[in-house]
Amino acid sequence: MSEEPTLKSNRGPTIGTLTTIRIKAQDAPLYLTGVLQSTNHASRRLGIICHGVLGHKNYLFQPMLANMLAPFMDTFRFDFRGNGDSEGQVGYSNWADDLNDIDSVVKHFEQQGYQIYALIGHSRGAISSLNYAASYNHVPLIPYIISLSTRFDMSDAKRRHGKQVMQLLEDQGYFDWEGRSAGKDVSLRVTKKNFDDFIEFDTASVVNIPAMTNILLCHGSEDAVVPIKDIGTLHRHLSHARTTLRIITNADHNYRGHYEEISQTVARYFSEEGRKEEWSRRVMPNWRTWVNSVGGVLNFRTVGDIWIPSGTDDTLRYMRPGIIYRCADISSPTPEGIRVLESLNITDVFDLRSTLEAERRPTFETAKIKRHHVPVFAEEDYSPAKIAARFSMYLGGVEGFTEAYMTMLPNVSRFLPPILDHIVNKKTPFVVHCTGGKDRTGIVCAILQMICGVDDAQIAWEYELTHCCQAIKEEDVQFVKAAMGDDATDERVRGLLSAKAEYMSSFLERFHREHGTVQAFLTKELGMTLDQIHAVRDALSVEIPVPRAVL
């Protein structure tokens, strides 16, 4: 391993350090060479960048892409065997060599403590990345595959080589394929068997990629090497909710003149904004159905339908929908709304409001649905002065919301044990609510999701769904105005009643800073054992093996 001086990428200074690394191939006596671009991410996430045919680690847009990915992960871009600075022989249809090279790189960095977070391939490198994800049954699951300019119809290679070359292949059984790679002339004799092996490669095997894998497919609209129809066919074979398609307008196969655009497209996909967009694309259609499903009840939805990959083994957790429901106050559902609640097999409602709030708008009960009053705050905390003090926190933006949410945690022994007991022992669907279904309800649902292992970003995005529906009753606005007195303007009141993801993100950051894990918090505050916490997790989620290809 040798340290290189700081280099310039295609645009702007290099972020982090560049280190040239040689990795021994597992299947042959040769070494693969690549460049690790590292900013020493605490997450230890690594993206592996795989070049196309006759490419190399610094080919085309790859240095720029690595630079733009630096805020989100370390990257390693390497030369496949026989290309660039790697040892070995260039091949035409040596798909097994490509897989062995990727696997050698994967295993090397896993031994260094990295999580293989993404395989990012261009052209042939994309085919091999998809093939690796489909066939190698990697444990744990590689969360992201980025496929750029991927060929699906391998027989189209006949068109690319042209009739004259195809005639040569027919007449003499081979043709000499010539080109340049990394500034060197390359000549490769392609036999009829080599060519047949190439065009018979089974690209349809991508259907075996686990459905929980996040896949981004990008293609240039003016790609003359791989017809744009190929990306449509590939997309149909990967037509589960976690596959995204992006067309780069006017770009060719190698994105010349569009290096920055393709690099930004991939980098944005990994940004928090991009991941939130993908999450919303999957979640919002169901949310729109739920939010208006119970007549007379605002902000109604289930919390769940979340896949939680293990970082250590070949399993997933699935947080099941249809157990936890959340909403604004549930004081006046319509008769049809009550029928919906009962048809969902909801047996219990946990009301987090104060006695005063509950008296103002009582929660309904039926013979099938029982109400439990579990106020977050003690009655003395609902004095006009203390309500005004809490409301003033919410006027402080992100920091104010964080502080207000932290004030709920010392009372956790008051409101959370009955809910946890229901989850473990009664095991039936239930509703948790407050007045707007936002703050107190949001904290309870955040804790339950943390117990299941849901990552903080998804918890914050789920919280923000309340903001999307703007479930604000006019009488609540008037109540807040009365409590705030002279400080109450419509804009400030509606800001106080908002639910933005950054509020929850800031709270979760503060929670982890002060309490560590949710397990440590529940052990300290409620005296729970790890087995008891796991019993809650196991009632809300199920552990399953990652569905894999049968080889």
Side-chain angles (χ1 to χ4, degrees):
M1 182 184 299
S2 61
E3 188 80 20
E4 288 189 349
T6 299
L7 303 175
K8 297 287 185 181
S9 69
N10 298 64
R11 185 180 180 88
T14 295
I15 300 173
T17 60
L18 300 180
T19 306
T20 298
I21 296 175
R22 299 177 74 234
I23 297 172
K24 188 179 185 309
Q26 298 181 108
D27 66 315
L30 58 87
Y31 282 86
L32 308 169
T33 300
V35 173
L36 175 68
Q37 183 159 342
S38 174
T39 57
N40 295 314
H41 276 273
S43 67
R44 299 293 286 172
R45 291 172 172 171
L46 182 75
I48 298 173
I49 301 176
C50 304
H51 63 75
V53 65
L54 296 184
H56 54 84
K57 57 187 174 294
N58 293 318
Y59 190 49
L60 303 172
F61 52 84
Q62 289 181 190
M64 178 183 287
L65 174 59
N67 218 35
M68 289 193 183
L69 290 174
F72 313 115
M73 69 188 85
D74 291 351
T75 56
F76 183 70
R77 55 187 195 269
F78 75 101
D79 300 325
F80 282 104
R81 66 184 66 190
N83 292 273
D85 296 319
S86 289
E87 298 171 352
Q89 177 63 45
V90 173
Y92 185 83
S93 57
N94 56 332
W95 299 110
D97 289 345
D98 286 4
L99 295 184
N100 280 318
D101 290 353
I102 293 173
D103 200 45
S104 297
V105 170
V106 165
K107 286 185 166 52
H108 172 85
F109 282 102
E110 285 184 328
Q111 290 168 3
Q112 306 303 312
Y114 274 101
Q115 175 203 2
I116 307 305
Y117 191 59
L119 292 180
I120 304 163
H122 171 241
S123 193
R124 176 173 175 144
I127 297 173
S128 294
S129 295
L130 290 166
N131 190 23
Y132 185 87
S135 62
Y136 259 61
N137 293 350
H138 184 269
V139 177
L141 179 78
I142 297 175
Y144 290 93
I145 307 294
I146 311 300
S147 175
L148 313 176
S149 304
T150 311
R151 185 180 295 283
F152 189 85
D153 178 8
M154 302 303 288
S155 67
D156 185 62
K158 296 176 183 177
R159 175 190 63 84
R160 282 293 300 159
H161 284 297
K163 292 181 179 179
Q164 185 176 357
V165 170
M166 290 298 96
Q167 190 61 51
L168 271 177
L169 187 64
E170 187 65 31
D171 292 345
Q172 63 186 27
Y174 69 88
F175 65 87
D176 291 321
W177 185 37
E178 298 181 347
R180 287 182 65 80
S181 174
K184 298 179 290 188
D185 290 329
V186 175
S187 180
L188 180 67
R189 178 152 292 183
V190 179
T191 67
K192 191 168 189 314
K193 183 180 186 310
N194 295 150
F195 188 79
D196 289 344
D197 287 345
F198 183 89
I199 66 174
E200 290 170 6
F201 180 78
D202 182 18
T203 51
S205 66
V206 295
V207 297
N208 294 319
I209 295 175
M212 290 68 63
T213 308
N214 303 283
I215 302 173
L216 174 64
L217 306 176
C218 296
H219 212 86
S221 67
E222 304 305 312
D223 190 335
V225 176
V226 177
I228 197 169
K229 68 178 178 61
D230 276 31
I231 203 69
T233 307
L234 180 60
H235 187 247
R236 288 194 296 274
H237 279 73
L238 293 167
S239 59
H240 57 75
R242 294 179 180 268
T243 301
T244 300
L245 176 62
R246 295 281 185 271
I247 302 298
I248 308 301
T249 304
N250 298 324
D252 65 11
H253 185 70
N254 290 329
Y255 302 96
R256 288 188 173 88
H258 296 268
Y259 287 179
E260 187 169 0
E261 184 177 0
I262 187 62
S263 299
Q264 286 178 340
T265 297
V266 176
R268 190 179 188 284
Y269 181 74
F270 286 105
S271 70
E272 181 166 350
E273 183 181 16
R275 290 186 297 113
K276 181 180 177 182
E277 281 183 4
E278 290 302 306
W279 179 87
S280 297
R281 182 176 62 83
R282 296 194 303 271
V283 168
M284 290 301 282
N286 286 336
W287 171 78
R288 289 191 181 97
T289 299
W290 278 116
V291 75
N292 297 311
S293 61
V294 180
V297 179
L298 296 176
N299 197 16
F300 185 87
R301 62 186 184 270
T302 186
V303 179
D305 193 20
I306 302 170
W307 292 101
I308 308 158
S310 168
T312 57
D313 60 24
D314 194 24
T315 62
L316 288 164
R317 280 211 162 265
Y318 178 63
M319 187 174 180
R320 295 178 290 183
I323 298 176
I324 307 168
Y325 292 92
R326 59 178 294 177
C327 61
D329 85 75
I330 197 165
S331 57
S332 53
T334 64
E336 181 58 33
I338 293 174
R339 282 193 290 274
V340 171
L341 293 169
E342 291 180 343
S343 71
L344 292 171
N345 296 317
I346 290 168
T347 61
D348 295 80
V349 173
F350 293 90
D351 184 352
L352 303 172
R353 300 174 301 163
S354 67
T355 299
L356 178 63
E357 289 172 290
E359 288 175 348
R360 192 160 57 96
R361 290 206 295 260
T363 294
F364 85 106
E365 286 189 84
T366 71
K368 295 181 179 179
I369 300 177
K370 180 181 180 182
R371 172 191 179 251
H372 306 269
H373 190 210
V374 286
V376 167
F377 296 105
E379 290 304 314
E380 57 268 23
D381 292 330
Y382 286 99
S383 67
K386 291 193 174 182
I387 290 175
R390 277 200 300 278
F391 283 169
S392 69
M393 290 182 192
Y394 291 114
L395 296 175
V398 173
E399 291 183 3
F401 270 84
T402 301
E403 190 62 38
Y405 288 172
M406 291 299 294
T407 66
M408 300 182 197
L409 297 183
N411 301 324
V412 70
S413 62
R414 173 189 303 278
F415 61 86
L416 194 58
I419 298 173
L420 300 182
D421 180 71
H422 175 93
I423 291 169
V424 172
N425 295 311
K426 195 167 183 180
K427 301 181 187 295
T428 56
F430 66 94
V431 173
V432 59
H433 78 93
C434 51
T435 296
K438 176 176 77 77
D439 302 316
R440 289 164 289 186
T441 301
I443 294 304
V444 169
C445 291
I447 292 172
L448 296 179
Q449 289 177 86
M450 281 194 281
I451 290 172
C452 291
V454 180
D455 67 84
D456 288 356
Q458 286 196 75
I459 294 172
W461 300 336
E462 195 284 330
Y463 162 87
E464 193 177 59
L465 289 176
T466 292
H467 189 75
C468 296
C469 78
Q470 291 294 306
I472 302 173
K473 292 182 177 179
E474 185 57 33
E475 59 185 287
D476 293 329
V477 173
Q478 298 307 318
F479 176 80
V480 171
K481 279 185 174 181
M484 291 174 62
D486 294 339
D487 290 332
T489 64
D490 284 346
E491 183 178 356
R492 298 187 82 183
V493 168
R494 293 190 180 277
L496 183 151
L497 294 173
S498 64
K500 298 179 181 179
E502 54 260 40
Y503 301 161
M504 180 57 68
S505 294
S506 178
F507 161 73
L508 292 169
E509 183 180 343
R510 173 96 171 263
F511 176 92
H512 293 306
R513 188 167 64 246
E514 295 190 11
H515 299 285
T517 64
V518 71
Q519 291 82 3
F521 171 74
L522 295 173
T523 298
K524 178 183 176 183
E525 297 296 327
L526 301 183
M528 295 179 71
T529 66
L530 195 57
D531 285 345
Q532 289 172 325
I533 297 169
H534 285 170
V536 176
R537 179 199 65 188
D538 294 344
L540 294 175
S541 63
V542 59
E543 185 178 76
I544 62 171
V546 174
R548 297 291 185 179
V550 179
L551 302 180

